[in-house]
Amino acid sequence: MTTTITTTPRRARLLFALAITPLLRWAVAAHSVPDDQPWRTTCSCGQPLWAATTAPTGRCTGCGQRIGAPPYTVEAATPLAAVALALTGLNGWVLAAYAWWAATMIVLVFVDLAAMLLPLRISIASAAGFLGLLAVAGDQHAWRRAAIAAVTLPVLLAILAVLARGQLGWGDVAVAVPLAAALGWHSWHAVYAGVLLGFGSAALVAITLRKTGRLPRGAALPLGPFLIGAALTVVLWP
């Protein structure tokens, strides 16, 4: 009886994760555009974007052109994130907050991989939704720490962005707001670990690719997936 009770909510969460993948795929396709361009609303063939991008194949239902994330990647990442969150033992408003955060992070990862861009509007929505849901979770001490972290880390990265003269993008600074909030809810140690793991893994991969000739000199890697992956790792295994 206990097994049935505990597995049913997990199945419901997994089904919900699968149900929202068309929305996430649409969001990736809509925002995977150059920084100076508005949201994409249609495919190049004129098909409305929502109708064109709901298929897991990632191809337009009208012309067959691939739009946004590669085939089946969003559909794989979303349930994996749902299962990982379920295994953390989080529940209630805290689980809802991290589910919202994880969904927006999935969108940001695929947009950054496709267009080397971390849209400000998604980072703001991620942080606002996360902190808003946690405001009713009851742990005001953890909430204050998350809010302070969400301000402190972006300020430090903004200073670094100015000093680095283009080596660190403003999208990376903006995404630090929801990342720091999610890590700060756990502890300051989680914030430090997430930042070090994110930048460290990005540097290691960049050095390796340059040594092997797969990353030309002067070319850059999208930093967002490394920062987000590191934060997700620390959140799931603090």
Side-chain angles (χ1 to χ4, degrees):
M1 188 68 175
T2 303
T3 302
T4 304
I5 293 173
T6 55
T7 55
T8 299
R10 289 182 181 178
R11 289 176 182 172
R13 293 168 189 166
L14 183 58
L15 289 173
F16 177 77
L18 292 172
I20 67 169
T21 53
L23 178 61
L24 300 184
R25 182 169 280 282
W26 167 82
V28 172
H31 291 89
S32 296
V33 294
D35 194 19
D36 59 347
Q37 297 295 317
W39 293 14
R40 181 188 284 126
T41 58
T42 63
C43 176
S44 58
C45 68
Q47 181 87 346
L49 194 63
W50 172 252
T53 57
T54 54
T57 58
R59 296 191 175 276
C60 173
T61 55
C63 66
Q65 173 188 352
R66 186 166 76 81
I67 309 173
Y72 303 103
T73 49
V74 176
E75 292 72 19
T78 306
L80 282 175
V83 170
L85 285 175
L87 294 176
T88 63
L90 298 173
N91 53 58
W93 289 107
V94 177
L95 177 61
Y98 276 100
W100 168 258
W101 177 80
T104 55
M105 292 300 107
I106 289 171
V107 173
L108 286 171
V109 164
F110 285 111
V111 170
D112 203 16
L113 289 174
M116 289 284 286
L117 176 69
L118 291 166
L120 177 61
R121 63 182 70 90
I122 298 181
S123 294
I124 292 175
S126 179
F130 180 79
L131 291 173
L133 289 168
L134 288 181
V136 295
D139 191 341
Q140 296 303 311
H141 177 70
W143 189 93
R144 284 193 297 270
R145 184 175 59 236
I148 293 172
V151 173
T152 304
L153 181 59
V155 169
L156 294 177
L157 290 187
I159 296 173
L160 183 60
V162 172
L163 297 177
R165 297 181 180 179
Q167 296 301 310
L168 184 66
W170 291 108
D172 301 317
V173 174
V175 80
V177 178
L179 294 183
L183 294 167
W185 175 264
H186 284 281
S187 66
W188 283 109
H189 292 293
V191 178
Y192 306 146
V195 172
L196 291 176
L197 181 60
F199 280 101
S201 59
L204 181 61
V205 170
I207 291 171
T208 302
L209 291 178
R210 284 205 172 95
K211 289 288 186 181
T212 58
R214 298 179 63 184
L215 184 67
R217 186 171 298 277
L221 284 174
L223 182 59
F226 293 97
L227 296 177
I228 293 168
L232 186 60
T233 300
V234 174
V235 164
L236 296 178
W237 295 281

